[in-house]
Amino acid sequence: MTVKNENDLTKVIERVVLNSNHDHTRIISYQAHHIEQEKSQWKVYIKMPYVQTNLRKFLEEKKANKEYLTKGQVLNFIYSMTHILEYLQDKGIPHQNLKPENIFVEGDNNFLLTDMGKINVVEEGITFFGITFFGKETYEAPELENCFKKEELYMADMWSLGLIFAEVCQLETLAVSDYKKLDEFMKK
């Protein structure tokens, strides 16, 4: 990850700390990090356990093979994610970045979560694993734009989980900004 100013570096370090040392078996914690300064920017390297695929790739493969998840897989997914989010809430940590790319799949039925927290630097952007984020994420609840209470952040995590759950069941992606599509999807 490349960071261009000290303020952003502080945000990134806070995120790394937030993602380290969780004692939940379904949370992938960061194991270590290293920072190198190059001229007027910093490169942040993060070490975490290797997991072969994320939920996005897993669902794309299922869709390509015209193969829906089994009832057991769907139930295990929703149980796993709600259990993890409950654990985080008990620790006072809203996830804030829930999306299929942050849910990993081991085998066919073990769902793991990573990447808690959100970095918002709209004016310059932050490059994270080769992707620069600007504006809204697909799975971000609309009310997050003006959200100031932690309770609202927990509810926003549930919004995101609901969109992902619908995607797991239907193998179709829903965009928050496309409310017509969401309404049509819900009628299926």
Side-chain angles (χ1 to χ4, degrees):
M1 160 183 350
T2 302
V3 182
K4 296 184 180 182
N5 67 55
E6 288 184 37
N7 185 41
D8 294 344
L9 181 62
T10 301
K11 291 177 184 179
V12 169
I13 291 170
E14 288 171 2
R15 185 175 178 171
V16 167
V17 169
L18 182 64
N19 283 281
S20 301
N21 304 319
H22 289 285
D23 58 355
H24 193 288
T25 58
R26 292 184 183 261
I27 293 178
I28 301 172
S29 292
Y30 296 167
Q31 297 172 327
H33 71 280
H34 175 73
I35 301 170
E36 293 178 4
Q37 186 171 5
E38 296 178 358
K39 297 180 184 175
S40 63
Q41 64 182 18
W42 293 265
K43 294 215 180 262
V44 180
Y45 300 91
I46 299 170
K47 180 183 176 189
M48 56 192 285
Y50 176 76
V51 182
Q52 190 167 0
T53 193
N54 64 38
L55 186 61
R56 165 75 56 232
K57 292 175 185 172
F58 181 75
L59 294 176
E60 286 172 356
E61 185 178 309
K62 293 283 186 188
K63 187 173 183 173
N65 293 331
K66 297 181 182 2
E67 176 186 342
Y68 287 93
L69 276 71
T70 66
K71 181 180 176 182
Q73 287 173 310
V74 171
L75 290 173
N76 188 44
F77 169 79
I78 200 67
Y79 171 79
S80 298
M81 292 300 107
T82 55
H83 190 259
I84 294 167
L85 291 176
E86 178 184 39
Y87 164 86
L88 290 173
Q89 186 173 348
D90 288 348
K91 295 258 185 203
I93 304 170
H95 189 281
Q96 296 182 271
N97 198 16
L98 205 55
K99 56 188 175 184
E101 291 81 1
N102 290 338
I103 299 170
F104 288 84
V105 184
E106 282 185 328
D108 267 350
N109 209 26
N110 193 19
F111 301 97
L112 311 166
L113 188 61
T114 193
D115 202 17
M116 278 65 77
K118 187 149 182 90
I119 298 175
N120 286 325
V121 184
V122 176
E123 64 278 359
E124 293 182 9
I126 286 188
T127 303
F128 189 63
F129 297 118
I131 302 167
T132 302
F133 295 108
F134 293 99
K136 281 192 165 213
E137 295 288 328
T138 304
Y139 299 90
E140 186 176 285
E143 64 267 25
L144 276 183
E145 204 168 289
N146 299 310
C147 177
F148 301 103
K149 296 179 183 171
K150 213 174 228 188
E151 294 78 26
E152 292 172 341
L153 295 175
Y154 298 132
M155 289 186 282
D157 282 346
M158 288 295 117
W159 166 274
S160 302
L161 181 59
L163 289 175
I164 296 167
F165 179 62
E167 187 171 341
V168 163
C169 293
Q170 296 291 323
L171 301 179
E172 286 184 37
T173 303
L174 300 173
V176 168
S177 59
D178 192 354
Y179 291 107
K180 249 185 190 175
K181 184 178 177 184
L182 178 61
D183 191 45
E184 289 170 15
F185 181 83
M186 296 309 289
K187 290 177 183 176
K188 285 185 180 181

